[in-house]
Amino acid sequence: MRKLTRRALLFAAGAAAGGYAAYRLGHESIGFGEAFPGGTPSADAMLNDASLLSPTRVARHILLSDDRRDALVEAVRRELLEAENAGRAVVASAARHSMGAQSLQADGTVLTLDKGWLDADTAAGTCRVSAGMRWSELIERLDAIGFSPKVMQSNHDFGVASTFSVNAHGWPVPWSAFGTTVRSIEMLLADGTLLTCSRTENAELFKLAMGGYGLFGVIVELEIEIVPNRNLAPTFEHVAGEELGKRFIETLKADPTVEMAYGRLDVAIDRFFESGLLISYRPTADQAVIPPASGSGFVSHVAAKVFREQVGSDRVKHVRWMLESSISPALTSGIATRNSLMNEPVATLDDGDPDRTDILHEYFVAPERFADFVRICREVIPSSYQELLNITLRFVDTDHDSVLAYATVPRIAAVMLFSQEMSVRGEEDMARMTRALIDRVTEIGGSYYLPYRPHPTLDQLRRAYPRVGEFAEAKRRLDPDLRFQNGFWTNYISKI
């Protein structure tokens, strides 16, 4: 039987941040509608994303999984030409884990990139990786040579280029988002031109593509930073909810040996966000034996029942918090490799209820305003009809690169997972709550994350992302035929 890791036990108590729908679509790979390997397209396919609320009929859908770089480049060029001749927009995607059609376009061509190649240069601390490779495969390959991604999403189901395109982040500290650890990308423009983009070469395109949601081209390869894989041991610290943001920063500043860290808050309504838990990982003294990367495996499935029973029950939320904050930390030493901690799928938490879906929110606030953020959440969330099942806190340092940067200063990221009723009432209430939270968070100098439901107003987007006008101008200038489109373009950028 597989050894239970500390993350597995914590997961069993509380579940990793993220939604079951993202897991399901990620592992189906294609989602709704069929695609065929080897260049055979499907026509008139119905696709969806992780929200299960974005059904979109596309004209053409093709899965590209060639492990030869030149073959992938030529396949994408053929699809770009075919789309141009047909007058269709193009979207490149991987697992489609966004939630507001950012990876979809009605009547367009959708490219699903998968698998590919990896060439590591351990002396330089970098590797070149195919755009569509899932993090799970990348971890497996790096683990075999003793290395690990410097920064990646906290779950491994998603494509590497997709992580760059949404500028996602994870548990590794003290860095900013994944994009800040990308040295360069190889990107195909609408006319089929292949460009190398970096901070010194085609720098404008590099900074637009980082968190640019695929609106400037199709990425086929990335050069990313890697670090040695190591054994890490956790430390658990109980903190008052209002103090968790400040304590997070104090811990990182006081101890540069911390390699990974995250926080949790108690979500029971009768004591909403009163208690917090900060979990930080440091290298162990013994690094002689680094075991192969493992994951929680079946424990993720065992967690589903406890997790789902939280809906409508503070009693179950009390039990879950006790398991996560008190019982689970006492069960094992918690020692795990860096790769094992990141080698987790988004949980299979589907309870089979066709009337509900999982929706993610994420907000970014300066550590010194975290207590204000807790107050805002207490005033807004319990008065809604939404069920908050989980919140995970992370640190993101200043992003000096991305045009659509959400961390213009060091910030605490609050990732929240809601269970939403799949109804007009549920959607309208979610939109109302989202806008209320964004108004309040931007008032304290914070921002919100863009890959989720398209509920924010255009004015809210402008306030949270003051360079969005620059982004829209560059989109029209660099892609004048508007070949690359998606829900982010249609709902927002096209209106600026």
Side-chain angles (χ1 to χ4, degrees):
M1 179 178 292
R2 174 177 292 176
K3 179 182 178 182
L4 298 186
T5 65
R6 175 62 66 97
R7 174 163 175 164
L9 289 164
L10 285 173
F11 178 82
Y20 78 83
Y23 173 91
R24 181 167 63 198
L25 291 179
H27 278 259
E28 287 177 354
S29 223
I30 305 307
F32 296 115
E34 294 296 324
F36 299 90
T40 304
S42 65
D44 197 28
M46 182 66 75
L47 303 179
N48 211 327
D49 60 23
S51 70
L52 306 183
L53 298 173
S54 304
T56 303
R57 188 168 296 281
V58 303
R60 184 177 173 91
H61 180 210
I62 184 168
L63 174 64
L64 301 174
S65 57
D66 205 302
D67 61 2
R68 299 167 297 167
R69 180 179 181 277
D70 291 345
L72 177 62
V73 168
E74 287 310 309
V76 174
R77 280 179 172 149
R78 286 195 301 270
E79 292 303 316
L80 290 172
L81 180 59
E82 193 277 338
E84 179 183 359
N85 291 336
R88 288 197 301 267
V90 175
V91 181
S93 65
R96 287 193 300 282
H97 57 282
S98 54
M99 295 188 170
Q102 294 90 344
S103 55
L104 297 166
Q105 180 65 17
D107 302 318
T109 292
V110 175
L111 308 178
T112 294
L113 277 64
D114 193 17
K115 302 188 183 299
W117 60 90
L118 185 151
D119 299 312
D121 183 345
T122 57
T126 63
C127 73
R128 305 192 71 88
V129 59
S130 176
M133 181 177 289
R134 303 303 192 260
W135 285 103
S136 55
E137 184 175 354
L138 186 144
I139 287 174
E140 181 181 3
R141 295 197 189 187
L142 289 181
D143 196 67
I145 59 173
F147 276 77
S148 177
K150 189 173 186 179
V151 172
M152 62 165 275
Q153 291 177 257
S154 59
N155 298 100
H156 72 197
D157 310 275
F158 314 128
V160 178
S162 295
T163 299
F164 179 80
S165 296
V166 302
N167 206 18
H169 58 88
W171 293 3
V173 293
W175 300 290
S176 188
F178 167 63
T180 61
T181 69
V182 174
R183 297 282 185 88
S184 66
I185 60 174
E186 300 291 320
M187 185 165 70
L188 282 161
L189 305 185
D191 64 1
T193 301
L194 182 64
L195 291 181
T196 299
C197 304
S198 68
R199 291 170 182 81
T200 58
E201 186 177 1
N202 297 306
E204 181 188 24
L205 269 172
F206 181 79
K207 294 178 179 183
L208 289 163
M210 184 190 302
Y213 294 83
L215 288 177
F216 293 89
V218 179
I219 299 171
V220 294
E221 182 180 270
L222 305 90
E223 182 185 15
I224 70 173
E225 295 178 1
I226 58 177
V227 295
N229 186 31
R230 297 207 278 185
N231 291 318
L232 302 177
T235 298
F236 296 83
E237 182 178 356
H238 291 266
V239 185
E242 296 91 339
E243 299 298 315
L244 189 48
K246 184 174 69 173
R247 183 59 189 150
F248 208 136
I249 289 294
E250 289 173 349
T251 298
L252 298 184
K253 287 182 177 179
D255 189 353
T257 68
V258 176
E259 290 199 8
M260 302 183 78
Y262 67 97
R264 291 280 169 79
L265 291 169
D266 186 351
V267 299
I269 294 298
D270 63 347
R271 56 195 195 196
F272 198 66
F273 287 9
E274 289 181 4
S275 299
L277 184 68
L278 178 61
I279 304 97
S280 52
Y281 285 86
R282 296 162 178 81
T284 64
D286 184 4
Q287 298 291 332
V289 178
I290 309 292
S294 62
S296 60
F298 76 93
V299 180
S300 298
H301 298 268
V302 174
K305 184 172 178 58
V306 173
F307 192 82
R308 283 299 160 189
E309 288 297 322
Q310 292 184 109
V311 176
S313 175
D314 260 11
R315 180 182 61 82
V316 177
K317 290 177 181 178
H318 293 168
V319 171
R320 179 201 156 187
W321 183 250
M322 177 182 65
L323 289 170
E324 183 169 16
S325 63
S326 300
I327 296 177
S328 292
L331 292 181
T332 75
S333 69
I335 294 174
T337 70
R338 199 174 189 278
N339 281 336
S340 292
L341 290 169
M342 295 191 288
N343 196 34
E344 291 288 332
V346 178
T348 48
L349 294 175
D350 186 1
D351 62 353
D353 187 347
D355 298 324
R356 303 192 73 86
T357 188
D358 288 355
I359 299 298
L360 286 165
H361 285 213
E362 187 164 354
Y363 300 94
F364 304 91
V365 296
E368 61 270 18
R369 301 305 299 268
F370 188 77
D372 294 323
F373 173 73
V374 168
R375 174 179 50 80
I376 289 166
C377 290
R378 285 174 177 162
E379 293 172 359
V380 174
I381 295 174
S383 63
S384 75
Y385 292 102
Q386 306 304 323
E387 283 278 355
L388 180 60
L389 302 183
N390 190 70
I391 178 169
T392 300
L393 307 172
R394 307 169 188 167
F395 170 77
V396 283
D397 205 355
T398 304
D399 178 356
H400 298 286
D401 297 312
S402 176
V403 173
L404 295 182
Y406 50 73
T408 53
V409 296
R411 283 179 169 160
I412 300 297
V415 185
M416 295 190 279
L417 175 62
F418 292 90
S419 174
Q420 177 188 321
E421 181 183 276
M422 294 181 72
S423 65
V424 172
R425 177 182 66 176
E427 183 73 354
E428 289 179 348
D429 180 67
M430 179 64 81
R432 179 202 60 77
M433 185 193 72
T434 302
R435 291 167 186 158
L437 284 170
I438 290 173
D439 275 342
R440 301 286 297 278
V441 168
T442 52
E443 284 174 1
I444 63 171
S447 59
Y448 68 94
Y449 200 21
L450 297 172
Y452 301 132
R453 296 295 295 151
H455 292 151
T457 66
L458 199 58
D459 184 58
Q460 287 178 324
L461 174 66
R462 288 191 176 104
R463 290 204 307 272
Y465 293 87
R467 297 180 66 187
V468 70
E470 175 188 340
F471 183 90
E473 182 279 325
K475 165 63 179 175
R476 292 183 173 92
R477 171 168 48 85
L478 297 171
D479 182 17
D481 294 328
L482 304 179
R483 184 64 53 218
F484 302 108
Q485 297 184 34
N486 55 26
F488 184 49
W489 164 262
T490 302
N491 293 322
Y492 293 103
I493 304 304
S494 66
K495 300 174 182 178
I496 296 175

